[in-house]
C-alpha cells in the first residue's frame, strides 16, 4: 500500500487540514502541566505515570513526584524502596514502572553523562521505555519525534480519513499528516482531538472539531472505529430509537435537534444518515402518537415530552 492509498488527500487539502488542527489546539486545550515544559525528565515521568492512570489523576502525583525528586540526578540517587513506596501511596499501579523509572534515571546518569538521549531509538534503550514512550519524549522534549499512533489517533484517522483498520496504514497516514519538524505541537494536537472531540462518543460540534469539513464519519454519520464496534442491530431498531428519544426528553424540558440527536445515537451527525432528517422522522412518529411535542423556534426544531 502506498502513502497515497493509505491517505487519499491532495497537498492543498493536507495543508488546510494541518493548519486547522494546529490552530484549534493552540486556541484552546486541556492545561496539563507537562505540556508547559520541554524537560525530558519531567515529560518521561508524566508519560510513565499516565500509562495506567487517568490524566486528571496524574497531575497531583506528577507534581508531588517532582517536588521530591526534581531532576533525573535526584531520582537516580534516591533509594529505590522510597520510589516504589511513593508509587504505591499514590495508587499509580504496577510498581515495576517505578523501578524501571528509577533505573532509567540511573542510566541517564551513568551511561549518558546526565544528559537525556534525544531520538526515539536512543530513548528506547532506557529501562522500561518502549517505542511509544520514547517517541513521546522525543516529540515533546526535543521536537524530534515521529507521528504518535495510539488508540485515540487510530480512531481519529479511521473516522476522518476512512483509513482501513490496519496498523501499517495508520502509521503511514499519521506520518504523512504530521508537518516536518513539528512533532511537539502536532502530536499534542491530534491526541487532544481524540481525547476531547473524537472520543468513543463523538462531540464533533460541541468540541468544535476542526476536521468536520473533511471528515468521512461526519459526512456519512458512521462513527464506528477500531475501538467502537458497529452498533448491534437490535439497538439500532426504530423502536429502540423511539424509546431513547422519550427517555432522553424525560430528563429535559426541551431539546433542539442537535442537542437531542447525540443523546439518542452515538453516531448522530446533523447531515448524515442518522442526522436531522432521520431524527425529525422519529419525532413526527412520536408526535402522531401524542408522546412528543415538536415546534419550530428561531430556525430550530425543538422537541419536548408531552406530560
Amino acid at each position: 500500500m502506498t502513502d497515497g492509498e493509505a491517505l487519499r488527500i491532495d497537498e492543498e487539502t493536507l495543508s488546510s487540514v494541518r493548519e486547522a488542527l494546529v490552530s484549534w489546539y493552540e486556541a484552546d486545550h486541556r492545561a496539563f502541566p507537562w505540556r508547559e515544559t520541554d524537560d525530558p525528565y519531567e515529560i518521561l515521568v508524566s508519560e510513565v505515570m499516565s500509562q495506567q492512570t487517568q490524566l486528571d489523576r496524574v497531575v497531583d502525583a506528577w507534581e508531588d513526584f517532582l517536588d521530591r525528586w526534581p531532576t533525573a540526578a535526584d531520582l537516580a540517587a534516591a533509594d529505590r524502596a522510597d520510589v516504589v513506596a511513593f508509587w504505591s501511596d499514590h495508587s499509580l499501579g504496577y510498581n515495576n514502572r517505578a523501578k524501571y523509572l528509577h533505573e532509567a534515571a540511573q542510566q541517564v546518569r551513568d551511561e549518558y553523562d546526565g544528559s537525556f538521549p534525544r531520538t526515539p531509538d536512543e530513548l528506547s534503550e532506557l529501562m522500561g521505555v518502549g517505542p511509544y514512550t520514547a517517541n513521546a519524549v522525543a516529540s515533546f522534549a526535543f521536537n524530534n519525534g515521529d507521528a504518535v499512533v495510539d488508540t485515540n489517533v487510530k480512531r481519529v484517522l479511521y473516522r476522518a480519513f476512512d483509513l482501513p483498520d490496519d496498523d501499517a496504514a495508520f502509521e503511514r497516514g499519521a506520518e504523512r499528516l504530521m508537518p516536518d519538524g513539528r512533532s511537539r505541537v502536532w502530536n499534542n494536537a491530534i491526541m487532544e482531538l481524540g481525547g476531547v472531540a473524537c472520543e468513543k462518543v463523538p462531540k464533533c460540534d460541541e468540541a468544535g472539531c476542526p476536521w468536520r469539513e473533511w471528515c468521512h464519519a461526519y459526512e456519512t454519520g458512521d462513527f464506528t472505529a477500531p475501538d467502537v464496534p458497529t452498533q448491534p442491530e437490535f439497538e439500532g431498531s426504530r423502536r429502540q430509537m423511539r424509546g431513547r428519544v422519550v427517555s432522553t426528553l424525560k430528563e429535559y424540558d426541551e431539546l433542539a435537534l442537535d442537542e437531542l440527536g447525540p443523546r439518542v445515537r452515538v453516531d448522530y451527525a446533523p447531515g448524515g444518515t442518522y442526522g436531522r432528517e432521520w431524527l425529525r422522522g422519529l419525532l413526527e412518529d412520536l408526535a402522531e402518537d401524542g408522546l412528543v411535542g415538536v415546534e419550530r423556534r428561531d430556525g430550530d426544531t425543538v422537541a419536548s415530552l408531552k406530560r
Side-chain angles (χ1 to χ4, degrees):
M1 181 182 293
T2 67
D3 287 348
E5 290 171 330
L7 186 66
R8 301 177 184 87
I9 185 171
D10 60 65
E11 291 301 319
E12 182 177 352
T13 303
L14 179 59
S15 177
S16 298
V17 164
R18 289 168 171 167
E19 182 179 349
L21 179 59
V22 172
S23 296
W24 173 83
Y25 175 77
E26 291 182 335
D28 185 32
H29 57 260
R30 292 172 295 178
F32 296 120
W34 47 85
R35 285 180 168 172
E36 309 303 320
T37 181
D38 60 4
D39 184 312
Y41 168 66
E42 295 179 358
I43 291 168
L44 177 60
V45 172
S46 75
E47 289 294 331
V48 173
M49 284 186 173
S50 63
Q51 287 172 9
Q52 299 291 337
T53 310
Q54 292 181 340
L55 292 182
D56 289 340
R57 289 182 50 223
V58 169
V59 174
D60 288 342
W62 183 81
E63 291 175 341
D64 289 348
F65 192 94
L66 294 179
D67 281 345
R68 186 159 184 182
W69 300 292
T71 68
D74 293 320
L75 180 60
D79 188 302
R80 183 167 298 179
D82 291 337
V83 181
V84 173
F86 176 98
W87 213 262
S88 179
D89 290 345
H90 286 72
S91 301
L92 291 168
Y94 297 103
N95 289 345
N96 276 344
R97 287 184 295 132
K99 297 178 183 178
Y100 294 151
L101 187 58
H102 181 250
E103 188 163 338
Q106 293 180 329
Q107 283 180 268
V108 170
R109 180 192 63 190
D110 300 337
E111 300 175 22
Y112 295 92
D113 296 325
S115 296
F116 265 78
R118 301 176 65 91
T119 68
D121 286 345
E122 292 172 329
L123 285 158
S124 292
E125 296 298 319
L126 298 179
M127 179 60 68
V129 176
Y132 177 85
T133 299
N135 187 48
V137 175
S139 293
F140 304 139
F142 304 115
N143 200 28
N144 189 36
D146 302 317
V148 165
V149 183
D150 65 0
T151 300
N152 282 346
V153 172
K154 289 179 181 179
R155 188 189 317 121
V156 169
L157 298 180
Y158 184 94
R159 286 173 171 170
F161 301 109
D162 196 25
L163 293 188
D165 184 5
D166 175 83
D167 285 347
F170 288 134
E171 290 173 8
R172 282 191 287 268
E175 286 293 341
R176 186 172 178 218
L177 280 170
M178 188 178 74
D180 290 341
R182 303 198 71 187
S183 63
R184 178 182 290 127
V185 68
W186 182 262
N187 285 332
N188 267 318
I190 198 167
M191 289 193 295
E192 183 79 354
L193 186 66
V196 305
C198 199
E199 299 173 275
K200 289 187 177 182
V201 178
K203 299 178 181 176
C204 313
D205 295 323
E206 180 182 343
C209 174
W211 283 357
R212 285 170 290 180
E213 177 181 347
W214 305 281
C215 180
H216 179 264
Y218 192 76
E219 178 184 358
T220 63
D222 179 4
F223 283 89
T224 56
D227 61 335
V228 185
T230 303
Q231 188 162 265
E233 184 176 348
F234 75 93
E235 290 191 357
S237 70
R238 196 167 184 82
R239 182 171 60 84
Q240 286 283 337
M241 296 300 102
R242 283 164 50 98
R244 288 187 186 179
V245 170
V246 172
S247 296
T248 300
L249 290 176
K250 285 180 180 178
E251 301 181 33
Y252 301 88
D253 291 334
E254 58 185 26
L255 286 173
L257 285 184
D258 290 347
E259 296 173 319
L260 174 61
R263 294 175 169 87
V264 175
R265 278 193 73 114
V266 167
D267 53 359
Y268 175 85
T273 302
Y274 299 105
R276 291 170 184 155
E277 292 304 314
W278 169 82
L279 186 53
R280 285 192 186 100
L282 287 182
L283 293 174
E284 288 171 4
D285 289 349
L286 291 166
E288 289 178 5
D289 292 341
L291 298 173
V292 168
V294 181
E295 63 176 297
R296 293 286 294 175
R297 189 186 307 159
D298 298 328
D300 281 336
T301 299
V302 179
S304 59
L305 192 67
K306 287 193 174 180
R307 302 181 185 278

